[in-house]
Amino acid sequence: MNGSSLQQPKWTRLLPPMGWLAEYRSSWLISDAIAGITLAAYAIPVSLAYAGLAGLPPQVGIYGYLLGGVGYALLGSSRQLAIGPTSAISLMIASSVGVLAAGDPARYAAIASLAACAVAVLCLIAWLFKLSVLVRLISDSILVGFKAGAGLTIMMTQLPSLFGVAGGGHNFFDRAFRLAGQIVDVNLLVLTIGLASFLLLFLGERLLPGRPVGLGVVALSILVASMFGLPSLGIPVTGKIPEGLPGVELPAFGLLEFQELFPIAAGCLLLAYVEGVSAARSFAAKHGYSLDVRQEFLGLGAANLAAALGHGYPVAGGLSQSAVNDAAGARTPLALMFCSVALALCLLLFTGLLTNLPKAVLAAIVFAAVYKLVDIPALLRMWQISRIDFYAAVIALGSVLLLGILQGVLLASIASIVLLLARASRPHVAFLGRLPGTGRYSDSARHEGVEPLAGVIAFRPEASLLYVNVETILETVLDALRRSSDIKVVACDLSASPFIDLAGARMLNDLHSELASRGVAFCIVGAHGQLRDLLQADGLAEKTDSGNWMRTLDSVLGDSKEGERSPGFQREPPTRH
């Protein structure tokens, strides 16, 4: 795969199989088949566990992998991304749909399917309006905090199943408080099964990477439970799983009002798109092909529509299952088709084998899948390198722990945008000095030994001049002026400012007026094309010498030494003829 998709006609991007099928090699078929079967072996235990986490029957999780993979293979642009239920989305469904279903299991399942359909609709809208750029506003630091909060919340929801107690609660701290009150009722046999399963999964992940260790643990636990009659001892098990393929049916519309359904669908879409695109980009870079981030909306939408039609709930591309797919040798999305066939055979022939699967094992599988979301080293690194990123991560983590997954992801998204604006509102303003023996200027605060400019303040805003930051820039420059004496010239170097808006131009006008009232000359240098156009339109050419706008600071300051009234430093507005 060499990036030949870059030369495809634009219309073929809507049907990615047109690209990878055209260059498909017969030698890839076996690799895709092996990868698909391996992915199915991984998906069976994980999908059962995530369905339980979502509060849905276990087979619904398998439906997500079976149908979601087919939908994505038709319209997704990644060749290794694997689609199915994820831990965060499963917990979001459990925490948000439970209240809306009012204890009715049929209504609960119907709302979950309706949410998947709503995600598909939002994906289409996002594709039409090219909204992938909005998702990029969520910073990596926010994602680290969100994933940590989600991981802790998910693990807390599984501890009751590991301990064999009832659990309960509305958020992380409420669940922890209730669990502490039930600790005396721990079922030691259930706890032993859960801890042994987690240990086997943990060791298997390190000793047998890329192998379907989870399926082996499930098979072993079913064998032990059947041999020793664990269900008769009161050990909770999955029970009978209905055989057969999911029926195709439109979701029941009208179950929820728009204001009830939209937050669930928007939260699921945000989680699904961010995680899916992040994983897909890493595999595209590894295998040398281009990823169409806008097309990913269609792939994700098709996956969720297929899941909704088959009574599933929202699905996404996850890094862990995609890593399994890639490690097993997947070359194209055909691997997802093989995975779906394998899962269909399982639903038709082997569901009876899962009857005695202990629920503690499923809890251990969830634990093994999500404990890595709590990335302590990344948080410590943020603390050492960038405190504002650390605080952003803590906001996201705390919002998830206190408010839950749905409200947490929405609050984290808002926090990401607010922090972005906060950063933009406080740009660094470099006050320049001359590097000895050169015509170059540098930030006096960052470099030792620069020569101060006698009678001159030269400053360089290291950001675009926008409405969110111009007041800070103006106050910083005026403060420097107040702390200096015998200043004859203030020079504004715009070489580090790629863009300016009307507020920025107004700030430069205000600065000129303030300097003129003090008898201080003002000049602008290093302005790029867009800046010059706007400054010209806003009338600054009548107040400063526009001939200097394209020049360097050194050339303009050099001219100032040739005479007291250099054109670049007129104290009064030039007369225009």
Side-chain angles (χ1 to χ4, degrees), residues 266-305:
C268 289
L269 172 58
L270 188 61
L271 285 178
Y273 187 79
V274 170
E275 182 177 4
V277 169
S278 298
R281 277 177 168 160
S282 65
F283 294 113
K286 176 181 177 180
H287 293 281
Y289 62 87
S290 61
L291 183 79
D292 188 339
V293 294
R294 183 188 176 202
Q295 181 68 23
E296 285 302 285
F297 279 124
L298 291 184
L300 184 61
N304 277 277
L305 179 60

Side-chain angles (χ1 to χ4, degrees), residues 410-427:
L410 297 178
L411 181 58
S413 302
I414 295 172
S416 185
I417 296 173
V418 170
L419 287 171
L420 179 66
L421 293 175
R423 289 181 182 182
S425 70
R426 296 191 300 273

Side-chain angles (χ1 to χ4, degrees), residues 537-557:
D538 202 48
L540 269 167
E542 300 176 2
K543 301 176 182 180
T544 66
D545 188 347
S546 60
N548 289 328
W549 291 357
M550 297 178 62
R551 298 174 63 187
T552 64
L553 179 62
D554 184 60
S555 66
V556 174
L557 292 183

Side-chain angles (χ1 to χ4, degrees), residues 134-210:
L134 297 180
V135 181
R136 297 174 195 167
L137 295 176
I138 301 175
S139 66
D140 290 340
S141 55
I142 289 287
L143 287 178
V144 169
F146 171 79
K147 288 179 179 179
L152 290 172
T153 301
I154 291 167
M155 286 188 284
M156 183 57 67
T157 65
Q158 297 305 295
L159 282 177
S161 295
L162 280 178
F163 291 164
V165 296
H170 301 291
N171 58 39
F172 177 86
F173 300 104
D174 189 18
R175 291 188 181 100
F177 180 78
R178 295 197 185 193
L179 182 62
Q182 300 169 3
I183 203 71
V184 295
D185 300 322
V186 168
N187 187 318
L188 293 179
L189 183 55
V190 171
L191 181 60
T192 300
I193 293 171
L195 291 179
S197 300
F198 179 78
L199 181 61
L200 290 174
L201 291 164
F202 183 82
L203 294 175
E205 180 182 330
R206 280 152 179 76
L207 302 177
L208 299 170

